[in-house]
């Protein structure tokens, strides 16, 4: 009899424990579900605590084809300039208080963008994508892309490693996440990967399959893994040569002007660093919006010019070791 009574008490206890646990799990799932939302029609307003804003000329339309916006979290903002064409794109707001700004273009924005907590993604005007690019932001850092950039297929930009790495002796973390800044009129070739902390000056060419781990000046061509400068003082133009006739090939042998040659004239020293400082000190999505939206209209040619760094002078020992390696 005593054993039966004890078993009954245990059964009642387990019932209430299960009920309480299930209720807690249900509440957690409910909160998660309430903060998750997928939008596949650009006219659809978010029901969660997030927002989609349209800016620019009201006569221009936004094209949003086979694309979706995933909101997980709250306090996020998506700004699209009227005239943008978004196709086969996925915009993932994976946590809270992040900002994505997309400028207008005559070409499609075909990309996957993933932001988390307090990230900022800016894509300027007149971009083109020849296949889907992947932009992966992390740890409250920023990805800024200027105007007139041309992305080939398979391009990846990421701001983190993304797992933790520590020094074996000091136990200190040694792989901080860093923002990436790309200037105007950059040709980014097929399967290029750009890693954390990189800045690329206006007018440069990133060759196919380059692994870009260091910052690059304006008007250079790079290739390799890791990428290195293979030619300085070069520029590129957008027309594709695939269908050229013999006459078009002949006509293309000399470019008519220097519109894609960039100089320090009118540039701002450490421009990217100044944008980064402003974004890092901003305390809200509204402040970040005010910082970045003017860059859609600012079209100063040399605004993101980065000079070629001076070559390091070779020391006596450098010359000795180089001479010895040749022998």
């Amino acid at each position: 009899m005593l054993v039966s009574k004890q078993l009954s008490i245990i059964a009642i206890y387990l019932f209430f424990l299960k009920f309480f646990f299930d209720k807690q799990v249900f509440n957690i799932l409910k909160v998660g579900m309430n903060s998750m939302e997928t939008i596949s029609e650009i006219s659809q307003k978010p029901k969660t605590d997030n927002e989609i804003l349209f800016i620019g000329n009201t006569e221009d339309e936004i094209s949003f084809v086979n694309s979706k916006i995933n909101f997980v979290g709250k306090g996020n903002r998506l700004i699209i300039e009227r005239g943008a064409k978004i196709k086969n794109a996925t915009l993932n707001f994976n946590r809270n208080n992040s900002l994505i700004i997309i400028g207008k273009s005559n070409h499609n924005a075909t990309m996957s963008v993933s932001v988390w907590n307090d990230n900022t993604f800016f894509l300027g005007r007149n971009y083109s994508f020849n296949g889907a690019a992947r932009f992966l932001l992390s740890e409250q850092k920023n990805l800024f892309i200027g105007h007139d950039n041309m992305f080939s297929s398979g391009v990846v930009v990421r701001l983190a490693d993304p797992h933790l790495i520590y020094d074996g002796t000091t136990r200190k973390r040694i792989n901080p996440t860093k923002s990436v800044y790309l200037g105007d009129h950059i040709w980014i070739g097929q399967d290029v990967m750009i890693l954390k902390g990189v800045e690329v000056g206006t007018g440069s060419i990133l060759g196919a399959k380059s692994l870009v781990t260091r910052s690059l000046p304006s008007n250079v061509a790079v290739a390799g893994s890791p990428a290195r400068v293979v030619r300085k003082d070069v520029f590129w133009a957008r027309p594709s040569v695939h269908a050229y006739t013999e006459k078009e090939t002949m006509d293309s042998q000399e470019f008519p002007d220097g519109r894609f040659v960039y100089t320090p004239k009118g540039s701002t020293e450490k421009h990217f660093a100044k944008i980064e400082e402003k974004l890092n000190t901003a305390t809200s999505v509204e402040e970040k919006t005010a910082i970045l939206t003017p860059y859609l209209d600012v079209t100063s040619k040399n605004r993101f010019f980065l000079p070629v760094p001076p070559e390091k002078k070779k020391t006596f020992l450098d010359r000795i070791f180089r001479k010895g390696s040749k022998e």
Side-chain angles (χ1 to χ4, degrees), residues 57-76:
N57 190 342
T58 55
E59 296 180 0
D60 293 334
E61 295 183 354
I62 295 172
S63 175
F64 194 79
V65 178
N66 195 32
S67 299
K68 61 183 178 180
I69 305 159
N70 294 319
F71 286 114
V72 180
K74 59 184 180 179
N76 299 294

Side-chain angles (χ1 to χ4, degrees), residues 168-278:
T169 302
T170 65
R171 308 295 193 267
K172 300 292 185 181
R173 184 177 170 186
I174 58 174
N175 66 332
T177 297
K178 297 178 182 179
S179 297
V180 168
Y181 285 82
L182 307 179
D184 300 325
H185 191 69
I186 300 168
W187 177 5
I188 304 173
Q190 183 175 344
D191 296 326
V192 166
M193 178 175 281
I194 300 172
L195 299 185
K196 61 181 185 177
V198 165
E199 296 179 357
V200 180
T202 294
S204 284
I205 304 166
L206 312 185
K209 296 187 181 298
S210 294
L211 177 64
V212 184
T213 60
R214 295 182 180 181
S215 295
L216 301 168
S218 294
N219 289 120
V220 298
V222 305
S225 180
R228 63 182 182 86
V229 175
V230 295
R231 183 153 183 171
K232 301 175 184 176
D233 193 23
V234 295
F235 65 90
W236 65 277
R238 189 176 284 274
S240 172
V241 303
H242 290 315
Y244 265 20
T245 63
E246 183 177 356
K247 182 180 184 306
E248 288 171 320
T249 296
M250 292 298 295
D251 291 344
S252 70
Q253 298 308 301
E254 185 173 343
F255 201 75
D257 54 54
R259 75 186 80 166
F260 299 128
V261 177
Y262 300 93
T263 68
K265 185 178 180 181
S267 65
T268 301
E269 188 177 2
K270 297 183 178 179
H271 200 156
F272 292 143
K274 291 176 180 177
I275 298 173
E276 179 74 0
E277 183 180 3
K278 289 180 180 179

Side-chain angles (χ1 to χ4, degrees), residues 5 7 73 79-80 88 111-112 136 142 174 189 208-209 327:
K5 187 176 181 180
L7 289 175
I79 298 177
I80 303 177
N88 298 331
M111 58 188 180
S112 171
L136 307 171
N142 313 300
I174 58 174
K209 296 187 181 298
E327 294 174 353

Side-chain angles (χ1 to χ4, degrees), residues 7 29 45 92 101 107 113 117 123 142 148 182 210 216 244 253 277 290 295 311:
L7 289 175
L29 291 175
K45 291 185 178 181
N92 296 309
I101 299 176
H107 304 278
V113 181
N117 287 306
L123 175 64
N142 313 300
D148 193 36
L182 307 179
S210 294
L216 301 168
Y244 265 20
Q253 298 308 301
E277 183 180 3
Y295 282 97
E311 292 187 6

Side-chain angles (χ1 to χ4, degrees), residues 1-10:
M1 188 73 177
L2 181 61
V3 173
S4 178
K5 187 176 181 180
Q6 288 176 335
L7 289 175
S8 298
I9 293 172
I10 293 173

Side-chain angles (χ1 to χ4, degrees), residues 272-296:
F272 292 143
K274 291 176 180 177
I275 298 173
E276 179 74 0
E277 183 180 3
K278 289 180 180 179
L279 291 175
N280 288 341
T281 55
T283 57
S284 66
V285 168
E286 289 76 14
E287 285 186 44
K288 292 179 179 180
T289 300
I291 292 166
L292 289 177
T293 48
Y295 282 97
L296 290 172

